[in-house]
Amino acid sequence: MTLSARIWALVLLCGLAALAPLAALAACEGLPPEQKLQNSPAQDIGRSLDRIREDGWIEVALYENYKPWSWVEGGRPQGIDVEIARLIAADLGVVARIRLVQPGEALDADLLNYVYRGAAVGGHVSDLMGHVPYDVDYACRFDQVVFTGQYATERLAIAYDKASYPDKAPVPAVFRYDPVGVENDSLSDFFLTSVAHGAAADKVHRYRTTGAAMAGLAAHQVSAAMGPRAELEAHLAPGIGVHTPPLLGLARPSWTLGLALSFQHRDLGYAVDDAIAAALADGRIAQIFADHGISFEAPAR
């Protein structure tokens, strides 16, 4: 999968019912802090803000092959998240080193591998990790991670063949009859195969990525494709439209994107959040999205 989407898809689909504390409680209330084993040595994870400035560079982990967010073209990292990483680095007075990484089966594993521990074999943590979905209840599960720098809102959308739907853009109910493409094991896949007790299941065509589903739509293998709006917009072809209809039965049709870093470097987290806040206020982040032809929706901060 493109974005360790399996566990996050289930979180959004279920409305965090399995993960969150009772709604009546304040954030993180009732969740005990993680216990550190006695006599275990202190760990120095990542680099401090002072060390980053002294060294003159910051390493940011981003997902590979993930257009329009982060990918390589002409031997150089490209994408919205890459430009945001460079924006942060410039604000800190250093150079951004982009580390493109493979997604794991779950966001939990990605945080472990790239933020607070490192992979078991030959792994190391990066100073920052970008494109991290943020939710306060999910964040409460991680004492080792600081979630900060929320920079955009992403939401599910539907791309469709305009000739197939000349009068009205499609909604999920029509996929009981019309073929629709989705990324395998994604939130769209889970949603469409569960809505109306699976009535649309036999019309769902699964592809390796959302980009591949859009290619299938352009080739008229399906009448529509469902996925994160930015990914749909990044793979538009002539005659294809995109819209964001109400998604009845889906607890969380949108989510906030931000960054994550080791809890040992909260001063870095404050500096990163200040850089993002300034870039949101003066329109630089909105301009990055516009330069890539992607709709921008400001995050709730």
Side-chain angles (χ1 to χ4, degrees), residues 22-267:
L22 296 175
L25 299 178
C28 299
E29 187 174 348
L31 292 179
E34 295 179 332
Q35 298 300 309
K36 187 173 180 62
L37 296 176
Q38 291 185 359
N39 303 320
S40 59
Q43 291 180 297
D44 184 14
I45 302 297
R47 296 181 302 149
S48 68
L49 177 58
D50 288 342
R51 176 67 183 276
I52 287 169
R53 284 174 167 156
E54 179 182 334
D55 291 344
W57 56 273
I58 184 171
E59 183 180 273
V60 184
L62 301 172
Y63 292 107
E64 66 180 9
N65 301 322
Y66 193 30
K67 194 173 184 179
W69 302 105
S70 46
W71 76 99
V72 172
E73 186 173 315
R76 179 176 169 83
Q78 307 283 342
I80 293 171
D81 286 338
V82 173
E83 294 304 318
I84 289 174
R86 291 172 178 155
L87 180 154
I88 293 169
D91 191 88
L92 299 179
V94 299
V95 174
R97 292 186 179 179
I98 306 301
R99 177 189 182 191
L100 296 180
V101 300
Q102 294 183 346
E105 284 296 309
L107 179 60
D108 299 43
D110 292 343
L111 294 174
L112 184 151
N113 287 333
Y114 308 126
V115 175
Y116 69 89
R117 184 177 299 175
V121 179
H124 73 278
V125 300
S126 295
D127 301 310
L128 286 175
M129 183 174 181
H131 209 91
V132 176
Y134 175 75
D135 179 271
V136 64
D137 294 314
Y138 183 79
C140 286
R141 299 174 58 205
F142 292 93
D143 285 357
Q144 313 96 324
V145 179
V146 172
F147 297 84
T148 189
Q150 288 78 39
Y151 57 86
T153 297
E154 178 64 300
R155 64 178 59 250
L156 284 184
I158 295 174
Y160 60 96
D161 176 36
K162 293 180 179 178
S164 298
Y165 303 97
D167 300 320
K168 186 177 181 180
V171 296
V174 308
F175 302 138
R176 290 177 293 177
Y177 315 102
D178 300 342
V180 57
V182 298
E183 179 179 326
N184 188 43
D185 277 348
S186 65
L187 175 57
S188 301
D189 187 359
F190 286 120
F191 174 66
L192 290 177
T193 52
S194 64
V195 69
H197 304 289
D202 64 334
K203 294 298 183 181
V204 174
H205 294 238
R206 295 175 177 83
Y207 295 83
R208 187 176 61 85
T209 64
T210 300
M214 288 294 286
L217 173 57
H220 303 291
Q221 297 170 357
V222 291
S223 299
M226 187 173 180
R229 179 174 57 190
E231 292 181 70
L232 300 180
E233 292 178 341
H235 296 89
L236 283 178
I240 295 177
V242 176
H243 78 131
T244 53
L247 300 175
L248 301 180
L250 180 59
R252 298 284 299 278
S254 66
W255 54 96
T256 301
L257 297 175
L259 298 110
L261 65 152
S262 168
F263 79 104
Q264 295 191 29
H265 304 300
R266 290 185 179 273
D267 56 344

